[in-house]
Short mmCIF file of all heavy atoms in Angstrom, two decimals:
data_model
loop_
_atom_site.label_atom_id
_atom_site.label_comp_id
_atom_site.label_asym_id
_atom_site.label_seq_id
_atom_site.Cartn_x
_atom_site.Cartn_y
_atom_site.Cartn_z
N GLN A 48 -20.67 -1.55 -6.16
CA GLN A 48 -20.97 -1.36 -7.58
C GLN A 48 -20.72 0.07 -8.03
O GLN A 48 -20.15 0.32 -9.09
CB GLN A 48 -22.43 -1.77 -7.83
CG GLN A 48 -22.87 -1.60 -9.24
CD GLN A 48 -24.16 -2.33 -9.59
OE1 GLN A 48 -24.45 -3.36 -8.96
NE2 GLN A 48 -24.92 -1.82 -10.51
N GLY A 49 -21.18 1.01 -7.17
CA GLY A 49 -21.01 2.42 -7.52
C GLY A 49 -19.54 2.81 -7.59
O GLY A 49 -19.12 3.53 -8.54
N ASN A 50 -18.75 2.28 -6.69
CA ASN A 50 -17.29 2.63 -6.71
C ASN A 50 -16.62 1.98 -7.94
O ASN A 50 -15.76 2.62 -8.56
CB ASN A 50 -16.61 2.11 -5.46
CG ASN A 50 -16.67 3.13 -4.33
OD1 ASN A 50 -16.89 4.30 -4.57
ND2 ASN A 50 -16.47 2.64 -3.09
N ALA A 51 -16.97 0.73 -8.23
CA ALA A 51 -16.33 0.07 -9.36
C ALA A 51 -16.66 0.84 -10.63
O ALA A 51 -15.78 1.06 -11.48
CB ALA A 51 -16.84 -1.37 -9.48
N GLN A 52 -17.91 1.29 -10.78
CA GLN A 52 -18.29 2.04 -11.96
C GLN A 52 -17.59 3.37 -11.99
O GLN A 52 -17.09 3.81 -13.04
CB GLN A 52 -19.80 2.26 -12.00
CG GLN A 52 -20.28 2.99 -13.21
CD GLN A 52 -21.77 2.93 -13.43
OE1 GLN A 52 -22.51 2.23 -12.70
NE2 GLN A 52 -22.27 3.68 -14.40
N GLN A 53 -17.46 4.03 -10.83
CA GLN A 53 -16.79 5.35 -10.77
C GLN A 53 -15.34 5.22 -11.26
O GLN A 53 -14.84 6.05 -12.02
CB GLN A 53 -16.86 5.83 -9.35
CG GLN A 53 -16.53 7.31 -9.18
CD GLN A 53 -16.62 7.74 -7.75
OE1 GLN A 53 -16.59 6.94 -6.81
NE2 GLN A 53 -16.79 9.03 -7.54
N LYS A 54 -14.67 4.16 -10.79
CA LYS A 54 -13.25 3.98 -11.15
C LYS A 54 -13.11 3.67 -12.67
O LYS A 54 -12.20 4.20 -13.30
CB LYS A 54 -12.60 2.83 -10.33
CG LYS A 54 -12.48 3.22 -8.83
CD LYS A 54 -11.68 2.17 -8.09
CE LYS A 54 -12.48 1.29 -7.19
NZ LYS A 54 -11.69 0.40 -6.30
N ALA A 55 -13.99 2.77 -13.17
CA ALA A 55 -13.92 2.45 -14.62
C ALA A 55 -14.22 3.68 -15.45
O ALA A 55 -13.56 3.90 -16.47
CB ALA A 55 -14.85 1.30 -14.90
N GLU A 56 -15.20 4.46 -15.01
CA GLU A 56 -15.55 5.66 -15.80
C GLU A 56 -14.42 6.67 -15.83
O GLU A 56 -14.18 7.33 -16.83
CB GLU A 56 -16.83 6.33 -15.23
CG GLU A 56 -18.07 5.73 -15.80
CD GLU A 56 -19.32 6.20 -15.12
OE1 GLU A 56 -19.30 6.91 -14.10
OE2 GLU A 56 -20.43 5.81 -15.62
N TRP A 57 -13.67 6.74 -14.72
CA TRP A 57 -12.55 7.67 -14.60
C TRP A 57 -11.55 7.40 -15.75
O TRP A 57 -11.02 8.28 -16.41
CB TRP A 57 -11.93 7.55 -13.24
CG TRP A 57 -10.86 8.50 -12.86
CD1 TRP A 57 -11.02 9.72 -12.28
CD2 TRP A 57 -9.41 8.39 -13.09
NE1 TRP A 57 -9.77 10.32 -12.05
CE2 TRP A 57 -8.81 9.49 -12.53
CE3 TRP A 57 -8.63 7.37 -13.64
CZ2 TRP A 57 -7.41 9.69 -12.55
CZ3 TRP A 57 -7.24 7.53 -13.63
CH2 TRP A 57 -6.66 8.67 -13.15
N VAL A 58 -11.27 6.08 -15.95
CA VAL A 58 -10.34 5.67 -17.00
C VAL A 58 -10.93 5.90 -18.35
O VAL A 58 -10.29 6.40 -19.31
CB VAL A 58 -9.92 4.21 -16.82
CG1 VAL A 58 -9.06 3.72 -17.98
CG2 VAL A 58 -9.10 4.05 -15.52
N TRP A 59 -12.18 5.50 -18.54
CA TRP A 59 -12.86 5.63 -19.84
C TRP A 59 -12.85 7.11 -20.30
O TRP A 59 -12.53 7.41 -21.45
CB TRP A 59 -14.30 5.11 -19.77
CG TRP A 59 -15.11 5.45 -20.97
CD1 TRP A 59 -16.01 6.45 -21.06
CD2 TRP A 59 -15.04 4.83 -22.27
NE1 TRP A 59 -16.52 6.48 -22.34
CE2 TRP A 59 -15.94 5.51 -23.09
CE3 TRP A 59 -14.27 3.79 -22.81
CZ2 TRP A 59 -16.11 5.17 -24.46
CZ3 TRP A 59 -14.47 3.42 -24.12
CH2 TRP A 59 -15.34 4.14 -24.94
N GLN A 60 -13.17 8.01 -19.37
CA GLN A 60 -13.22 9.40 -19.73
C GLN A 60 -11.90 9.94 -20.22
O GLN A 60 -11.77 10.85 -21.02
CB GLN A 60 -13.74 10.27 -18.57
CG GLN A 60 -15.24 10.13 -18.40
CD GLN A 60 -15.70 10.51 -16.98
OE1 GLN A 60 -14.91 10.95 -16.18
NE2 GLN A 60 -16.99 10.27 -16.71
N ARG A 61 -10.78 9.36 -19.65
CA ARG A 61 -9.46 9.89 -20.00
C ARG A 61 -8.85 9.18 -21.19
O ARG A 61 -7.93 9.72 -21.81
CB ARG A 61 -8.51 9.74 -18.80
CG ARG A 61 -8.81 10.81 -17.77
CD ARG A 61 -8.31 10.49 -16.37
NE ARG A 61 -8.66 11.58 -15.45
CZ ARG A 61 -9.84 11.75 -14.97
NH1 ARG A 61 -10.85 10.93 -15.27
NH2 ARG A 61 -10.09 12.79 -14.18
N THR A 62 -9.31 7.96 -21.49
CA THR A 62 -8.61 7.20 -22.56
C THR A 62 -9.55 6.76 -23.70
O THR A 62 -9.08 6.44 -24.79
CB THR A 62 -8.00 5.88 -21.98
OG1 THR A 62 -9.08 5.09 -21.51
CG2 THR A 62 -7.03 6.16 -20.88
N GLN A 63 -10.85 6.71 -23.45
CA GLN A 63 -11.84 6.13 -24.40
C GLN A 63 -11.43 4.71 -24.77
O GLN A 63 -11.75 4.21 -25.86
CB GLN A 63 -11.92 6.95 -25.71
CG GLN A 63 -12.13 8.43 -25.44
CD GLN A 63 -13.53 8.78 -25.02
OE1 GLN A 63 -14.46 8.63 -25.82
NE2 GLN A 63 -13.72 9.20 -23.80
N LEU A 64 -10.74 4.02 -23.86
CA LEU A 64 -10.32 2.64 -24.10
C LEU A 64 -11.19 1.71 -23.17
O LEU A 64 -11.55 2.10 -22.07
CB LEU A 64 -8.89 2.42 -23.72
CG LEU A 64 -7.87 3.14 -24.61
CD1 LEU A 64 -6.46 2.97 -24.04
CD2 LEU A 64 -7.93 2.62 -26.06
N ASP A 65 -11.48 0.52 -23.68
CA ASP A 65 -12.22 -0.44 -22.86
C ASP A 65 -11.38 -0.72 -21.61
O ASP A 65 -10.15 -0.85 -21.70
CB ASP A 65 -12.46 -1.75 -23.62
CG ASP A 65 -13.52 -1.53 -24.73
OD1 ASP A 65 -14.14 -0.45 -24.75
OD2 ASP A 65 -13.70 -2.43 -25.58
N CYS A 66 -12.05 -0.82 -20.50
CA CYS A 66 -11.33 -0.94 -19.23
C CYS A 66 -12.22 -1.59 -18.20
O CYS A 66 -13.43 -1.83 -18.42
CB CYS A 66 -10.91 0.45 -18.76
SG CYS A 66 -12.30 1.60 -18.56
#
Side-chain angles (χ1 to χ4, degrees):
Q48 178 165 331
N50 273 341
Q52 182 167 354
Q53 195 179 20
K54 291 189 255 188
E56 274 171 352
W57 188 90
V58 172
W59 169 259
Q60 282 159 6
R61 282 159 182 78
T62 63
Q63 310 285 292
L64 294 173
D65 288 351
C66 58

